[in-house]
PDB file of all heavy atoms in Angstrom:
ATOM      1  N   SER B  81      76.450  21.252-146.161  1.00  0.00           N
ATOM      2  CA  SER B  81      77.320  20.806-147.255  1.00  0.00           C
ATOM      3  C   SER B  81      76.971  19.412-147.770  1.00  0.00           C
ATOM      4  O   SER B  81      77.325  19.075-148.897  1.00  0.00           O
ATOM      5  CB  SER B  81      78.790  20.882-146.844  1.00  0.00           C
ATOM      6  OG  SER B  81      78.948  20.745-145.452  1.00  0.00           O
ATOM      7  N   GLY B  82      76.269  18.619-146.974  1.00  0.00           N
ATOM      8  CA  GLY B  82      75.992  17.252-147.431  1.00  0.00           C
ATOM      9  C   GLY B  82      74.548  17.007-147.822  1.00  0.00           C
ATOM     10  O   GLY B  82      74.143  15.861-148.045  1.00  0.00           O
ATOM     11  N   LEU B  83      73.755  18.066-147.942  1.00  0.00           N
ATOM     12  CA  LEU B  83      72.318  17.871-148.192  1.00  0.00           C
ATOM     13  C   LEU B  83      72.034  17.505-149.655  1.00  0.00           C
ATOM     14  O   LEU B  83      72.804  17.838-150.554  1.00  0.00           O
ATOM     15  CB  LEU B  83      71.553  19.149-147.826  1.00  0.00           C
ATOM     16  CG  LEU B  83      71.584  19.523-146.347  1.00  0.00           C
ATOM     17  CD1 LEU B  83      70.817  20.818-146.115  1.00  0.00           C
ATOM     18  CD2 LEU B  83      70.995  18.407-145.486  1.00  0.00           C
ATOM     19  N   ASP B  84      70.897  16.835-149.871  1.00  0.00           N
ATOM     20  CA  ASP B  84      70.552  16.445-151.243  1.00  0.00           C
ATOM     21  C   ASP B  84      69.807  17.584-151.962  1.00  0.00           C
ATOM     22  O   ASP B  84      69.511  18.615-151.373  1.00  0.00           O
ATOM     23  CB  ASP B  84      69.719  15.150-151.250  1.00  0.00           C
ATOM     24  CG  ASP B  84      68.357  15.340-150.619  1.00  0.00           C
ATOM     25  OD1 ASP B  84      67.988  16.493-150.313  1.00  0.00           O
ATOM     26  OD2 ASP B  84      67.651  14.329-150.432  1.00  0.00           O
ATOM     27  N   ARG B  85      69.543  17.347-153.242  1.00  0.00           N
ATOM     28  CA  ARG B  85      68.920  18.356-154.109  1.00  0.00           C
ATOM     29  C   ARG B  85      67.668  18.984-153.498  1.00  0.00           C
ATOM     30  O   ARG B  85      67.510  20.199-153.492  1.00  0.00           O
ATOM     31  CB  ARG B  85      68.502  17.699-155.431  1.00  0.00           C
ATOM     32  CG  ARG B  85      69.551  17.666-156.490  1.00  0.00           C
ATOM     33  CD  ARG B  85      69.047  16.844-157.670  1.00  0.00           C
ATOM     34  NE  ARG B  85      68.022  17.573-158.439  1.00  0.00           N
ATOM     35  CZ  ARG B  85      68.299  18.316-159.506  1.00  0.00           C
ATOM     36  NH1 ARG B  85      69.531  18.417-159.941  1.00  0.00           N
ATOM     37  NH2 ARG B  85      67.344  18.933-160.169  1.00  0.00           N
ATOM     38  N   ASN B  86      66.768  18.116-153.017  1.00  0.00           N
ATOM     39  CA  ASN B  86      65.491  18.638-152.531  1.00  0.00           C
ATOM     40  C   ASN B  86      65.665  19.447-151.251  1.00  0.00           C
ATOM     41  O   ASN B  86      65.021  20.479-151.073  1.00  0.00           O
ATOM     42  CB  ASN B  86      64.502  17.496-152.305  1.00  0.00           C
ATOM     43  CG  ASN B  86      63.993  16.931-153.622  1.00  0.00           C
ATOM     44  OD1 ASN B  86      64.164  17.562-154.667  1.00  0.00           O
ATOM     45  ND2 ASN B  86      63.390  15.761-153.574  1.00  0.00           N
ATOM     46  N   ALA B  87      66.555  18.973-150.368  1.00  0.00           N
ATOM     47  CA  ALA B  87      66.793  19.706-149.128  1.00  0.00           C
ATOM     48  C   ALA B  87      67.414  21.061-149.434  1.00  0.00           C
ATOM     49  O   ALA B  87      67.062  22.073-148.816  1.00  0.00           O
ATOM     50  CB  ALA B  87      67.705  18.887-148.217  1.00  0.00           C
ATOM     51  N   LEU B  88      68.342  21.089-150.423  1.00  0.00           N
ATOM     52  CA  LEU B  88      68.937  22.357-150.832  1.00  0.00           C
ATOM     53  C   LEU B  88      67.878  23.281-151.421  1.00  0.00           C
ATOM     54  O   LEU B  88      67.883  24.492-151.172  1.00  0.00           O
ATOM     55  CB  LEU B  88      70.055  22.121-151.847  1.00  0.00           C
ATOM     56  CG  LEU B  88      71.340  21.486-151.300  1.00  0.00           C
ATOM     57  CD1 LEU B  88      72.335  21.259-152.432  1.00  0.00           C
ATOM     58  CD2 LEU B  88      71.967  22.358-150.220  1.00  0.00           C
ATOM     59  N   ALA B  89      66.954  22.697-152.204  1.00  0.00           N
ATOM     60  CA  ALA B  89      65.877  23.507-152.788  1.00  0.00           C
ATOM     61  C   ALA B  89      65.046  24.142-151.683  1.00  0.00           C
ATOM     62  O   ALA B  89      64.699  25.325-151.754  1.00  0.00           O
ATOM     63  CB  ALA B  89      65.000  22.640-153.687  1.00  0.00           C
ATOM     64  N   ASP B  90      64.755  23.364-150.636  1.00  0.00           N
ATOM     65  CA  ASP B  90      63.975  23.917-149.516  1.00  0.00           C
ATOM     66  C   ASP B  90      64.738  25.029-148.815  1.00  0.00           C
ATOM     67  O   ASP B  90      64.147  26.039-148.415  1.00  0.00           O
ATOM     68  CB  ASP B  90      63.627  22.801-148.525  1.00  0.00           C
ATOM     69  CG  ASP B  90      62.569  21.863-149.110  1.00  0.00           C
ATOM     70  OD1 ASP B  90      61.853  22.302-150.027  1.00  0.00           O
ATOM     71  OD2 ASP B  90      62.477  20.706-148.655  1.00  0.00           O
ATOM     72  N   LEU B  91      66.073  24.856-148.666  1.00  0.00           N
ATOM     73  CA  LEU B  91      66.888  25.906-148.056  1.00  0.00           C
ATOM     74  C   LEU B  91      66.821  27.183-148.884  1.00  0.00           C
ATOM     75  O   LEU B  91      66.660  28.275-148.340  1.00  0.00           O
ATOM     76  CB  LEU B  91      68.348  25.455-148.001  1.00  0.00           C
ATOM     77  CG  LEU B  91      68.815  24.686-146.774  1.00  0.00           C
ATOM     78  CD1 LEU B  91      70.299  24.375-146.920  1.00  0.00           C
ATOM     79  CD2 LEU B  91      68.574  25.517-145.520  1.00  0.00           C
ATOM     80  N   ARG B  92      66.978  27.030-150.213  1.00  0.00           N
ATOM     81  CA  ARG B  92      66.928  28.198-151.090  1.00  0.00           C
ATOM     82  C   ARG B  92      65.591  28.899-150.948  1.00  0.00           C
ATOM     83  O   ARG B  92      65.489  30.109-150.971  1.00  0.00           O
ATOM     84  CB  ARG B  92      67.112  27.778-152.559  1.00  0.00           C
ATOM     85  CG  ARG B  92      68.496  27.277-152.902  1.00  0.00           C
ATOM     86  CD  ARG B  92      68.711  27.290-154.408  1.00  0.00           C
ATOM     87  NE  ARG B  92      67.861  26.359-155.137  1.00  0.00           N
ATOM     88  CZ  ARG B  92      68.159  25.083-155.368  1.00  0.00           C
ATOM     89  NH1 ARG B  92      69.292  24.582-154.926  1.00  0.00           N
ATOM     90  NH2 ARG B  92      67.341  24.313-156.039  1.00  0.00           N
ATOM     91  N   ASN B  93      64.555  28.076-150.798  1.00  0.00           N
ATOM     92  CA  ASN B  93      63.219  28.629-150.710  1.00  0.00           C
ATOM     93  C   ASN B  93      63.000  29.377-149.398  1.00  0.00           C
ATOM     94  O   ASN B  93      62.412  30.453-149.382  1.00  0.00           O
ATOM     95  CB  ASN B  93      62.205  27.479-150.857  1.00  0.00           C
ATOM     96  CG  ASN B  93      60.789  27.990-150.897  1.00  0.00           C
ATOM     97  OD1 ASN B  93      60.062  27.874-149.933  1.00  0.00           O
ATOM     98  ND2 ASN B  93      60.416  28.578-152.033  1.00  0.00           N
ATOM     99  N   GLN B  94      63.477  28.804-148.291  1.00  0.00           N
ATOM    100  CA  GLN B  94      63.150  29.347-146.972  1.00  0.00           C
ATOM    101  C   GLN B  94      64.182  30.341-146.438  1.00  0.00           C
ATOM    102  O   GLN B  94      63.817  31.315-145.799  1.00  0.00           O
ATOM    103  CB  GLN B  94      62.998  28.193-145.965  1.00  0.00           C
ATOM    104  CG  GLN B  94      61.832  27.262-146.276  1.00  0.00           C
ATOM    105  CD  GLN B  94      60.515  27.996-146.304  1.00  0.00           C
ATOM    106  OE1 GLN B  94      60.248  28.841-145.441  1.00  0.00           O
ATOM    107  NE2 GLN B  94      59.687  27.736-147.323  1.00  0.00           N
ATOM    108  N   LYS B  95      65.464  30.050-146.639  1.00  0.00           N
ATOM    109  CA  LYS B  95      66.480  30.836-145.936  1.00  0.00           C
ATOM    110  C   LYS B  95      67.266  31.785-146.826  1.00  0.00           C
ATOM    111  O   LYS B  95      68.007  32.624-146.321  1.00  0.00           O
ATOM    112  CB  LYS B  95      67.458  29.880-145.237  1.00  0.00           C
ATOM    113  CG  LYS B  95      66.764  28.978-144.239  1.00  0.00           C
ATOM    114  CD  LYS B  95      67.725  28.335-143.296  1.00  0.00           C
ATOM    115  CE  LYS B  95      66.968  27.672-142.159  1.00  0.00           C
ATOM    116  NZ  LYS B  95      67.872  26.929-141.274  1.00  0.00           N
ATOM    117  N   LEU B  96      67.147  31.615-148.149  1.00  0.00           N
ATOM    118  CA  LEU B  96      67.975  32.408-149.033  1.00  0.00           C
ATOM    119  C   LEU B  96      67.119  33.179-150.029  1.00  0.00           C
ATOM    120  O   LEU B  96      66.070  32.712-150.458  1.00  0.00           O
ATOM    121  CB  LEU B  96      68.936  31.490-149.806  1.00  0.00           C
ATOM    122  CG  LEU B  96      69.879  30.667-148.945  1.00  0.00           C
ATOM    123  CD1 LEU B  96      70.513  29.569-149.787  1.00  0.00           C
ATOM    124  CD2 LEU B  96      70.950  31.546-148.343  1.00  0.00           C
ATOM    125  N   GLY B  97      67.590  34.357-150.364  1.00  0.00           N
ATOM    126  CA  GLY B  97      66.923  35.129-151.408  1.00  0.00           C
ATOM    127  C   GLY B  97      67.941  35.451-152.483  1.00  0.00           C
ATOM    128  O   GLY B  97      69.086  35.775-152.184  1.00  0.00           O
TER     129      GLY B  97
END
Side-chain angles (χ1 to χ4, degrees):
Chain B
S81 27
L83 295 179
D84 66 8
R85 272 173 73 94
N86 287 345
L88 289 178
D90 288 338
L91 271 181
R92 291 197 294 273
N93 185 255
Q94 296 301 317
K95 301 196 169 175
L96 300 166

